[in-house]
Amino acid sequence: GYVNRDGEAVMGLELLYDDLLRGTPGQLVRETDRKGIELPDGQMTITPAVDGKNIRLTIDRNIQYYVEAALNKAYGQWQPKSMIAIAVNPKTMEVLAMASLPDFNPNRYWEAESQKSFFNRAIAAQYEPGSTFKVVTLAGAIEEGLFDPDAEFQSGSIAVPGNQVRDHNQVGWGKITYLEGLLRSSNVAFVKLGYEGLGKDKLLEYIDRFGFGKKTGIELSGETPGTVNLLYPSDVARATFGQGGITVNALQLTAAYAAIANGGMLMKPYVVKEIVDPETGETLQS
């Protein structure tokens, strides 16, 4: 976020924590005559200014620097519409780095070329997660005892009501084990695990337990909840590999993978570590 030329907080943490950061202006009142000339023995009242509080973030400046440098390098080389990168500590869900492009310099916000630059894609952009979503189906199948890595299935394509699902290479790899199907990111394997195995209700339960379809609750404005809209059997089948009625934001997906990394605890991400008194250095809130 930033403070504009009128001293008003705009967007981001600047706006969200404006009451804490702003403080109270001081005031000096002197007694004058009608012409505005100060009286030699007039009264003078001083109200000292009160500094705003300091907010210490979870952002690691080194990780943030390298994330931004990597994004800028790739952005310059490939010229995509947008890019997002997030780094977190999976044990705490402290956000160590968060960046998206195109961006802007909040110290020179008036030079931003487009309003799109003010858009925090890490929490506000929704997209189909695709194969990155397969971890949800896999976790559900393992938890329910449905994943046998040595069992075999016919890859390539599978019929579901109203649709035909194919593997990404269109023809598959013949009859393979589910472990190989996992390694090859076979769509057919995940349809069999999630659509045929788990079924719609159980799949929806795991989608919900991993936090999709609702906001993460991070203390940043503009977060989207994503969508979970499985109306037809084909939607359920395609949701097992992250398509058809499923959209997410990047932070939701990061939190889901962090839950895998930390042993199964879905945690709320946050960027504010503590609120500090600027005069004493005392931590007022952690």
Side-chain angles (χ1 to χ4, degrees):
Y2 60 93
V3 175
N4 67 20
R5 291 172 174 177
D6 297 322
E8 299 166 332
V10 182
M11 68 181 286
L13 294 174
E14 284 281 3
L15 178 59
L16 192 62
Y17 288 95
D18 184 49
D19 290 344
L20 274 174
L21 292 166
R22 181 174 294 279
T24 306
Q27 192 175 39
L28 173 61
V29 179
R30 290 190 172 99
E31 194 174 2
T32 63
D33 61 19
R34 283 186 296 177
K35 294 181 180 180
I37 299 172
E38 184 181 347
L39 299 175
D41 54 351
Q43 292 185 337
M44 182 171 63
T45 305
I46 299 175
T47 305
V50 179
D51 287 342
K53 304 296 185 286
N54 288 340
I55 289 180
R56 189 169 291 148
L57 304 183
T58 60
I59 299 294
D60 182 301
R61 64 192 302 172
N62 292 320
I63 298 174
Q64 181 74 22
Y65 171 80
Y66 285 116
V67 161
E68 291 187 17
L71 282 183
N72 282 316
K73 182 179 179 181
Y75 196 78
Q77 183 176 356
W78 302 107
Q79 294 296 307
K81 289 182 179 179
S82 62
M83 298 182 74
I84 303 166
I86 303 170
V88 301
N89 178 344
K91 294 181 180 179
T92 61
M93 273 310 291
E94 292 174 284
V95 177
L96 304 176
M98 178 187 284
S100 68
L101 291 175
D103 64 356
F104 72 104
N105 180 351
N107 295 315
R108 304 184 67 82
Y109 60 87
W110 56 90
E111 294 178 355
E113 294 180 4
S114 166
Q115 284 295 313
K116 293 180 180 178
S117 300
F118 295 87
F119 191 58
N120 184 356
R121 288 164 182 79
I123 60 169
Q126 299 182 76
Y127 63 96
E128 271 194 353
S131 290
T132 57
F133 200 74
K134 288 174 178 173
V135 70
V136 177
T137 306
L138 180 63
I142 291 172
E143 190 73 13
E144 299 296 326
L146 301 172
F147 180 69
D148 179 353
D150 298 320
E152 294 185 332
F153 72 99
Q154 182 65 41
S155 65
S157 66
I158 186 171
V160 295
N163 207 345
Q164 183 89 0
V165 172
R166 295 185 180 277
D167 283 322
H168 55 80
N169 68 350
Q170 299 298 313
V171 296
W173 307 269
K175 200 168 188 179
I176 58 175
T177 66
Y178 278 93
L179 180 58
E180 188 172 354
L182 170 62
L183 296 175
R184 294 185 182 276
S185 193
S186 166
N187 293 338
V188 174
F190 283 87
V191 170
K192 293 186 76 66
L193 289 171
Y195 176 74
E196 293 183 355
L198 287 171
K200 179 179 179 179
D201 291 343
K202 272 293 179 184
L203 180 62
L204 282 171
E205 178 187 325
Y206 281 96
I207 290 172
D208 179 70
R209 286 168 68 176
F210 271 100
F212 295 105
K214 54 198 172 191
K215 297 179 181 181
T216 65
I218 193 170
E219 63 273 71
L220 294 170
S221 60
E223 184 181 12
T224 57
T227 58
V228 179
N229 190 21
L230 311 185
L231 297 178
Y232 305 105
S234 60
D235 293 335
V236 180
R238 298 182 73 80
T240 63
F241 52 92
Q243 296 179 16
I246 297 287
T247 65
V248 305
N249 70 50
L251 187 61
Q252 286 175 322
L253 198 61
T254 305
Y257 271 79
I260 297 290
N262 70 26
M265 185 70 70
L266 182 69
M267 306 187 76
K268 177 181 173 180
Y270 61 102
V271 290
V272 175
K273 193 175 184 74
E274 52 195 12
I275 297 165
V276 179
D277 187 307
E279 292 186 7
T280 66
E282 177 189 1
T283 299
L284 303 175
Q285 188 177 340
S286 181

